[in-house]
Amino acid sequence: MNWRGAKHIELAIWAIWLGSLWMMAVLVAPGLFKWLPRPEAGLVAGRLFYMLSWYTVITSVFLLAISTWLGAVQASVRLNILMGALLVLAVVELLWMHPTMSQMRQAMADAAPDMVPVMKSRFGRMHAISSVLYAIKMIGGLAWGLSRYSVKPAD
């Protein structure tokens, strides 16, 4: 495969990954909470975000590998550091955020009624942290691709 073909594959993988991140945040998650009861919507959304974290790990590794193979390491170390940071962020989500939030959800279901408000507050804080990390991942992925493919604002 020549350089041009590999670059097109890289671009397609980046676009599909980035589109899936934004689609989940903008359409899928809000739709779930609009049309399903809150507990079920939370379970489905949590599982989808978990799968998307795995997809981010796989995609990040692939994009780092192919950009290195294409010689982009010498061209832009900052871009590869950014993608590496997005990879680390996805691993943090997989190893800490998702298991913790899942345990909290289960604990709320099993908790005595007087403990539920305290647990909901803790879950809300964890959800806020998760939302910030996800937003960083979405914006970081967009910035990576726009820089990688030399997309510049119009003058």
Side-chain angles (χ1 to χ4, degrees):
M1 177 182 340
N2 63 15
W3 182 89
R4 186 179 200 100
K7 186 85 170 183
H8 288 283
I9 290 170
E10 180 191 39
L11 176 61
I13 289 169
W14 168 74
I16 292 166
W17 167 62
L18 187 66
S20 67
L21 291 176
W22 283 86
M23 179 84 158
M24 181 64 183
V26 174
L27 294 174
V28 175
L32 287 172
F33 283 94
K34 182 177 180 170
W35 294 304
L36 292 176
R38 193 162 190 80
E40 287 84 3
L43 288 173
V44 172
R47 187 66 186 152
L48 290 172
F49 279 113
Y50 176 78
M51 292 186 313
L52 202 48
S53 291
W54 271 111
Y55 184 57
T56 297
V57 167
I58 293 164
T59 303
S60 299
V61 167
F62 183 80
L63 288 172
L64 276 169
I66 198 165
S67 66
T68 300
W69 179 64
L70 293 174
V73 171
Q74 295 82 10
S76 182
V77 172
R78 281 182 281 158
L79 287 178
N80 286 308
I81 290 171
L82 175 58
M83 187 55 71
L86 296 174
L87 172 60
V88 169
L89 188 60
V91 170
V92 166
E93 286 177 331
L94 283 170
L95 298 179
W96 177 58
M97 294 300 301
H98 293 294
T100 302
M101 290 180 79
S102 181
Q103 290 169 352
M104 292 174 98
R105 220 180 271 113
Q106 184 61 44
M108 277 191 289
D110 299 337
D114 59 328
M115 288 301 295
V116 171
V118 173
M119 298 174 102
K120 279 187 177 182
S121 175
R122 289 181 188 153
F123 186 83
R125 283 192 300 273
M126 185 66 80
H127 188 274
I129 293 167
S130 176
S131 296
V132 168
L133 295 178
Y134 193 82
I136 291 168
K137 189 167 54 172
M138 289 178 6
I139 293 166
L142 178 62
W144 183 89
L146 292 178
S147 296
R148 176 83 173 105
Y149 303 110
S150 301
V151 177
K152 307 235 184 307
D155 292 325

